[in-house]
Amino acid sequence: MVVDVVVAELDRLHARVAGRFGRAEPRARVRAYVSGLVASLERKNGWTLAARAGESSPDGMQRLLRWADWDVDGVRDDVRDYVVEQLGRPGGVLVLDDTGFVKKGVRSAGVQRQYSGTAGRVENCQIGTFLAYACDRGHALIDRELYLPESWIADRNRCRAAGIPEEVEFTTKPRQGMVMLQRAMDAGVPFAWVTADEAYGQAKYLRVWLEQHDAAYVLATKCNDTLITAAGEQRADDLIATLPARAWRRLSVGAGAHGPRTYDWARIPIRIGWAPGRGHWLLARRKIADPTEIAYYVCYGPRRSTLVDLAWTAGSRWRIEECFAQARNEAGLDHYQVRSWRAWYAHVTLSMLALAWLAGTKAQITKGKPVPATST
C-alpha cells in the first residue's frame, strides 16, 4: 500500500510538470532522474543516475541539466504549488536561509572561498539561497537562487564562461530572499509568518520591506542591534537585561535532534506608534543550562500575538535546516557534478521536486486518504 502511494505520487508530480518539457525525451528522463535522486545510491551524479536508468553513458542526464528544452523556473513554480496543495495551512511559516556546496576549482558559477554555514568555516564553495515552507503537516523547499559574489559580477568574461546571463547583477542574500518571498506572495502561498537567521534579520531593509507588505516576521538579530523605544535607541542586549525574572517563561518549541528544544523566552515592546492592529517586539531566547547564552529576535505581527506565537515561529526556522539535511541525504541536493548557471538551477530544482515528492507522500500516508486526481 505504501509503495503504491509512493509510485502514484511520483506519477502525479511527473504529470504535473510534464507540460514544462518541449520534447518526449527529457520529459521521460526527468522521471528517471528524480526517481534516482531518492534511490539508495552512494552518490547521485550523472553516471550513477544513468546506470540506474539503464543508460550506457551519463550524456543524457547531463544534457537534461545543461541544454535540454524545458522550463526550469516553471518546474520551480510547480514544485511550490504542489507543496502548497499538500501541506498548505493559513498558519504556515516561510523560512529563508542559505547553504553551501563545497566545490573544487574556480569555474563553477559563483564559486569562491567564502563562509559556508554548512561547513562552519570558509571553504571554496557555491552558496544557494533558499525559501522553505513549514507547517504542522511538514516542510519542503519551494524556491532557490544561486548567490553570485561581487567578484564574479565584476568579471563578465568569467560569467559568460559559466553561462551566467548578461542581465544578472550583484544581489545580496536578503534581497534574493525578497525576490523569493515576492514570488510566494504573488502565487498566494498561505502563510502567517516569515522567519530567518541573523544574516537576514540584520538587514533592516528586509524588515522594512516585510512591513510594507504587512508580512509578520520573527527575524534573528545580533545583541548589539540598535532598536527604537520610547526611551530612544537602545541595544538589544541592554533592553533584555532590564527585564525582571518574572518576564521569562520556559517553553518547548518543537522536537530537535536530541529531544525537545526547550528554552526560557521573554519579549519586550519596541518602536513608537504601532499601526492599527500591529505590534513590534524584541524577543529573547535564553539557554537553560547557560543563562548568559541569549539569542535575540526582532518581531512584527498582529497586536494580539502571544509570546508562544513568537517563540514557536522562531523555532520554526530549524525546519529549513531539516530540509537541507533531508535534501542532501535523501534527494541528492549536493551530489551534482555541473559547473554552469543553468545546470545548477536545473539540478537543484529537480532535487527540490524530489524532496517535495517525499513530503507529499508522507502527508498522504499520514492523512490516510486516497491520492487526489492530478490537477489540470
Side-chain angles (χ1 to χ4, degrees), residues 271-293:
R271 302 277 284 273
I272 303 169
W274 289 0
R278 297 294 179 264
H280 298 262
W281 302 270
L282 172 64
L283 175 71
R285 186 197 71 197
R286 189 174 67 187
K287 193 172 182 179
I288 296 171
D290 181 5
T292 65
E293 188 174 317

Side-chain angles (χ1 to χ4, degrees), residues 225-279:
D225 192 2
T226 55
L227 305 163
I228 301 296
T229 71
E233 278 197 0
Q234 291 184 266
R235 282 173 51 123
D237 52 359
D238 290 338
L239 274 170
I240 294 301
T242 66
L243 291 174
R246 66 178 181 276
W248 294 88
R249 286 183 59 190
R250 188 156 296 178
L251 301 169
S252 172
V253 293
H258 305 291
R261 292 195 300 269
T262 304
Y263 298 91
D264 290 330
W265 298 83
R267 68 172 178 175
I268 188 170
I270 56 174
R271 302 277 284 273
I272 303 169
W274 289 0
R278 297 294 179 264

Side-chain angles (χ1 to χ4, degrees), residues 116-235:
S116 166
T118 308
R121 59 185 180 273
V122 173
E123 283 279 4
N124 195 63
C125 65
Q126 294 169 297
I127 300 292
T129 308
F130 289 83
L131 182 66
Y133 186 82
C135 67
D136 57 355
R137 277 180 153 186
H139 46 270
L141 300 172
I142 63 170
D143 210 339
R144 74 290 180 264
E145 290 290 344
L146 177 60
Y147 173 72
L148 294 178
E150 290 181 273
S151 62
W152 266 82
I153 296 300
D155 189 343
R156 298 314 305 191
N157 288 332
R158 190 184 188 195
C159 286
R160 291 186 197 101
I164 298 169
E166 292 289 340
E167 64 271 18
V168 174
E169 299 179 349
F170 174 71
T171 307
T172 65
K173 295 166 194 171
R175 291 197 183 279
Q176 288 184 319
M178 288 159 57
V179 169
M180 294 188 289
L181 288 167
Q182 186 67 65
R183 284 198 286 255
M185 293 175 188
D186 291 344
V189 174
F191 72 97
W193 297 90
V194 175
T195 190
D197 68 17
E198 63 185 35
Y200 300 84
Q202 290 181 92
K204 295 189 178 182
Y205 58 82
L206 173 59
R207 299 185 214 166
V208 170
W209 184 88
L210 287 167
E211 290 172 31
Q212 289 172 341
H213 288 74
D214 197 28
Y217 62 75
V218 176
L219 302 175
T221 192
K222 286 191 173 181
C223 63
N224 61 357
D225 192 2
T226 55
L227 305 163
I228 301 296
T229 71
E233 278 197 0
Q234 291 184 266
R235 282 173 51 123

Side-chain angles (χ1 to χ4, degrees), residues 21 26 29 33 45-47 58-70 72 103 107-108 161-163 336-348 350:
F21 295 81
R29 182 167 281 117
Y33 193 96
N45 53 43
W47 282 100
D59 295 350
M61 294 299 182
Q62 294 291 354
R63 186 165 57 250
L64 176 69
L65 302 181
R66 294 175 180 172
W67 306 297
D69 180 18
W70 59 284
V72 177
K103 304 293 288 183
R107 291 190 288 175
S108 297
Y336 60 90
Q337 293 179 324
V338 295
R339 292 194 177 104
S340 72
W341 168 272
R342 148 69 191 248
W344 185 90
Y345 275 96
H347 170 80
V348 168
L350 295 180

Side-chain angles (χ1 to χ4, degrees), residues 341-365:
W341 168 272
R342 148 69 191 248
W344 185 90
Y345 275 96
H347 170 80
V348 168
T349 300
L350 295 180
S351 177
M352 288 167 49
L353 189 150
L355 185 66
W357 168 34
L358 297 176
T361 300
K362 182 178 179 180
Q364 290 293 333
I365 293 171

